[in-house]
Amino acid sequence: MALTKNQRRQRIKNRIRKIVSGTESRPRLTVFRSNKEIYAQIVDDVNGTTISAASSRDKDISSAKGTKSEIATLVGKTIAERALKAGVETIAFDRGGYLYHGRVKSLAEGAREAGLKF
């Protein structure tokens, strides 16, 4: 039987998570992409805490007009600003099983522009 898209993504995600883990000094930036929205979290896996989060559903971002990729860039900039306020400069990027292309790439580039290092 062929795998569904979600099963395939879950396998890739598990493969990535074996390698990428967030620590207190270098937390993990994780991405979830739905058909309409995009979400990002900065997670410390050792302590099991979310340091900061941003999504396209936030009030300041949802009022912005543009393509999904442009909004993903705004989410990346927002998550980077919130991370820098929390004292995080370096992160490990977890693309969540998605290809590093389109909205995921836009989010990562927006985070880099705003000052995150990964």
Side-chain angles (χ1 to χ4, degrees):
M1 273 313 253
L3 295 175
T4 65
K5 268 187 174 181
N6 282 334
Q7 289 171 331
R8 180 180 177 280
R9 189 180 78 81
Q10 194 61 43
R11 276 193 181 179
I12 296 168
K13 185 177 179 180
N14 291 339
R15 211 176 315 138
I16 292 168
R17 287 289 289 121
K18 276 192 252 179
I19 300 164
V20 177
S21 180
T23 62
E24 199 168 332
S25 61
R26 187 181 170 137
R28 175 173 57 98
L29 171 61
T30 182
V31 177
F32 176 73
R33 175 178 64 95
S34 73
N35 286 337
K36 286 175 68 174
E37 313 289 347
I38 190 159
Y39 306 85
Q41 288 184 331
I42 295 186
V43 181
D44 175 6
D45 291 315
V46 175
N47 297 324
T49 57
T50 298
I51 297 168
S52 64
S55 77
S56 57
R57 298 187 70 186
D58 292 350
K59 286 184 181 179
D60 53 335
I61 298 172
S62 64
S63 62
K65 299 290 181 198
T67 64
K68 290 180 189 176
S69 293
E70 291 167 351
I71 291 175
T73 304
L74 287 175
V75 172
K77 289 179 181 178
T78 304
I79 192 79
E81 290 166 7
R82 292 178 184 173
L84 292 172
K85 277 186 189 171
V88 175
E89 292 180 6
T90 308
I91 53 123
F93 188 68
D94 176 8
R95 57 191 171 91
Y98 303 107
L99 292 176
Y100 187 77
H101 178 73
R103 289 191 280 162
V104 176
K105 185 176 180 181
S106 296
L107 188 140
E109 289 173 350
R112 279 194 189 102
E113 285 174 21
L116 277 184
K117 295 183 184 101
F118 52 105

